[in-house]
Amino acid sequence: MTEPTVYELSAAGRCGLALPEIAVPKTNLPEALLRRDNGLPELAQRDVVRHFLKLSQHNFGVDSGFYPLGSCTMKYNPKVCEDAARLDGFAASHPLQPPETVQGNLALMFELQESLKEIGGFAGVSLQPAAGAQGELTALLMMRAWHADRGETQRRQVLIPDSAHGTNPASATMAGLDALEIPSDTRGNIDLEALRAACDETVVALMLTNPNTLGLFEEGIEAAIDLVHGCGGLVYGDGANMNALTGIARPGDFGIDLMHYNLHKTFGTPHGGGGPGAGPLGASAALADYLPGPIIARCGEGAADDGTCRPVMPAKSIGRMGTYFGNFGMLVRAYAYIRLHGTEGLRQNAIHAVLNANYLRVQLADRYPVPYDRRNMHEFVCEGRPDGSEVRAIDVSKRLMDYGFHPPTNYFPLIVAEALMIEPTETESRETLDAFADAMRRIADEAIGDPDLLRAAPHTTPVGRLDEVRAAKQLILCDPAAPDTED
Ligand SMILES: *Cc1c(COP(=O)(O)O)cnc(C)c1O
């Protein structure tokens, strides 16, 4: 079912455009600048449009269907946020413009910082990090600097639960620190006894995701934080799962010292495919001075505050984490999203995200075993091996594509065998959830009656099952049908 390439569609002499008569004298380009061997395809404009439109329709996105990719919060992004980001005053401004000419942009960033402080319960926010993973690295560098200021350079251990996202240990390693894994207990919480045993004067921080990546609220969160603070360590919150908490609980109030937000998950800016994101970092009062800058401050205070803003570096800032002001377009989208929803709207989002995820878990638990079967938050993890069958999670996922759904996250977290992590988000209707549950149940029947149907899936997509290992090891980045050129 592969589409013909533009090279296969090409016909000699066909042309896609008509240029107007030239009104200036003709001269020939130097022969050295001309390439005659590049074999460009020759097509009519209609063929080009149809070709690329067809290709675009092979993409699957939140705007084309249900996308329950756990831990990613693939929710519908209101188009008004896109409209806001495209306004000339935002899109056409330049990061090197003098502050007095971009006061609107600075005010927007200032207000976004204020909103994120309020939502997470933090004393300071920096909008610098470009993604969640970079927020993690930033926080670890800040924590290292904080400990160094106390003369505690012997602290090298970063404690990370075994349910954590892979970026957590990767960030610890990038920060030059050592990651130490802490097991989970039988209820899916961090094991407090194991944590207690690991808490000593070598600990930089605990990195904790709450709700954790099993979609479960950490029932011992306060005890865990007390243990780590008790040995002089700090606590990092991985805020990727804030969609379950907005307007309901504030990580800063739990005692979290630093936390990133994924604007591209929780706050309505689109993501996927490695596109631009934003991972602002919230900090407690003790750590706010170490935040990367520039952050945006009001010029005056109290009666002298005329509302003008300026970029400043925090007193003990670890410096910059990127150029200029971060991914500004993402900040505009998040600002628009937060203002659009308001406090009550954000609260309702969290409530409905949690409700939808519990609704699906209850519908599926009798066919797909749920290892930690208690009330979940905005997502849940089940085994993608329907009871009584031998298929694997990947087979169920590939078959879901035939039913028109994007698969859930596979094989994460690592502590659940054949894991499927399902996050429906608040923006899906009950009808969509029912249709998905129905497809999952049908697939469970097929897994028992005709497992090879699943093993050969997907059957309806433009490309079939990929050899993912080979795809990663033997990257082919250009169109193999394109004629070879010398350079
Ligand atoms: C997505 C995610 C991250 C990383 O965020 P990026 O913005 O993709 O770098 C970290 N932790 C968890 C739990 C996540 O889901």
Side-chain angles (χ1 to χ4, degrees):
M1 257 188 74
T2 40
E3 294 298 331
T5 68
V6 281
Y7 297 97
E8 288 159 347
L9 291 172
S10 174
R14 200 164 282 168
C15 184
L17 72 165
L19 295 174
E21 288 290 321
I22 54 170
V24 293
K26 263 191 195 173
T27 55
N28 287 329
L29 282 172
E31 194 59 27
L33 290 182
L34 292 176
R35 290 237 327 257
R36 300 192 188 282
D37 60 352
N38 53 7
L40 290 177
E42 297 175 74
L43 293 106
Q45 204 173 89
R46 177 206 62 220
D47 299 328
V48 176
V49 169
R50 284 185 187 161
H51 177 72
F52 285 109
L53 187 71
K54 251 187 230 161
L55 288 185
S56 77
Q57 289 166 341
H58 291 172
N59 273 344
F60 193 97
V62 277
D63 289 352
S64 48
F66 183 47
Y67 206 135
L69 193 68
S71 207
C72 291
T73 313
M74 302 298 288
K75 59 189 185 183
Y76 175 75
N77 302 306
K79 296 300 170 248
V80 65
C81 303
E82 296 300 309
D83 294 344
R86 281 172 179 71
L87 290 174
D88 265 359
F90 297 133
S93 59
H94 191 281
L96 289 178
Q97 271 178 251
E100 60 275 19
T101 67
V102 284
Q103 279 297 314
N105 298 12
L106 298 180
L108 179 141
M109 285 190 277
F110 178 80
E111 284 187 28
L112 179 60
Q113 288 170 190
E114 293 299 302
S115 297
L116 293 175
K117 280 189 211 170
E118 175 65 28
I119 290 167
F122 292 107
V125 162
S126 170
L127 304 173
Q128 275 266 303
Q134 205 192 21
E136 295 169 20
L137 175 65
T138 307
L140 289 162
L141 297 176
M142 288 169 64
M143 290 171 165
R144 223 177 56 178
W146 189 83
H147 287 305
D149 278 356
R150 276 156 190 70
E152 304 210 358
T153 47
Q154 84 288 358
R155 292 185 180 268
R156 304 198 39 79
Q157 303 262 33
V158 181
L159 313 180
I160 302 175
D162 57 4
S163 62
H165 195 273
T167 51
N168 291 188
S171 298
T173 306
M174 278 187 80
L177 302 167
D178 304 322
L180 182 70
E181 186 174 285
I182 307 292
S184 301
D185 68 15
T186 51
R187 282 183 65 74
N189 295 312
I190 185 169
D191 185 326
L192 290 176
E193 282 320 305
L195 180 63
R196 190 188 314 276
C199 280
D200 60 22
E201 72 296 339
T202 66
V203 170
V204 174
L206 165 69
M207 294 181 90
L208 200 65
T209 316
N210 189 29
N212 64 28
T213 59
L214 292 162
L216 301 174
F217 194 88
E218 281 288 347
E219 293 167 309
I221 178 111
E222 285 166 329
I225 291 174
D226 284 348
L227 280 174
V228 178
H229 283 164
C231 73
L234 296 166
V235 181
Y236 181 71
D238 178 331
N241 291 343
M242 265 310 278
N243 209 47
L245 300 186
T246 52
I248 294 182
R250 307 198 313 164
D253 296 342
F254 304 149
I256 299 275
D257 298 292
L258 288 165
M259 185 191 84
H260 78 256
Y261 301 81
N262 296 69
L263 297 189
H264 46 283
K265 292 179 183 173
T266 314
F267 297 104
T269 88
H271 66 120
L281 195 62
S284 64
L287 283 136
D289 276 350
Y290 293 83
L291 282 168
I295 59 172
I296 310 305
R298 283 275 177 79
C299 290
E301 277 177 26
D305 185 357
D306 63 358
T308 54
C309 295
R310 68 197 157 102
V312 295
M313 289 306 271
K316 298 179 182 171
S317 178
I318 59 160
R320 287 174 169 274
M321 289 303 290
T323 50
Y324 307 123
F325 297 97
N327 285 329
F328 179 66
M330 294 299 156
L331 308 181
V332 177
R333 289 172 173 88
Y335 173 82
Y337 184 84
I338 289 170
R339 292 300 300 261
L340 178 71
H341 284 85
T343 310
E344 188 49 29
L346 292 178
R347 213 171 94 79
Q348 288 299 325
N349 285 355
I351 290 170
H352 284 101
V354 170
L355 180 65
N356 279 359
N358 278 282
Y359 180 74
L360 267 187
R361 173 178 54 81
V362 170
Q363 294 225 40
L364 295 180
D366 62 332
R367 308 302 303 275
Y368 295 87
V370 175
Y372 302 93
D373 199 4
R374 61 173 161 107
R375 191 194 300 166
N376 52 273
M377 302 302 284
H378 63 307
E379 62 194 2
F380 68 99
V381 179
C382 63
E383 289 175 20
R385 190 169 41 198
D387 256 346
S389 98
E390 297 284 293
V391 301
R392 306 195 57 205
I394 188 91
D395 303 320
V396 171
S397 282
K398 296 295 182 191
R399 184 65 180 145
L400 264 174
M401 297 164 79
D402 290 335
Y403 285 94
F405 297 109
H406 194 285
T409 296
N410 279 227
Y411 302 116
F412 171 64
L414 304 175
I415 52 175
V416 173
E418 298 299 323
L420 284 184
M421 184 196 237
I422 302 177
E423 179 180 9
T425 83
E426 72 278 11
T427 58
E428 296 302 330
S429 67
R430 182 168 173 180
E431 289 78 5
T432 300
L433 301 181
D434 286 340
F436 176 76
D438 189 50
M440 287 290 282
R441 283 192 289 262
R442 282 208 233 170
I443 292 171
D445 290 340
E446 291 170 352
I448 293 158
D450 188 4
D452 285 339
L453 178 71
L454 269 63
R455 293 193 185 105
H459 301 277
T460 60
T461 50
V463 284
R465 191 168 310 199
L466 301 174
D467 179 340
E468 287 168 15
V469 176
R470 214 178 68 166
K473 299 250 179 224
Q474 293 176 18
L475 270 187
I476 300 171
L477 294 173
C478 16
D479 184 345
D484 270 347
T485 55
E486 278 165 37
D487 44 358

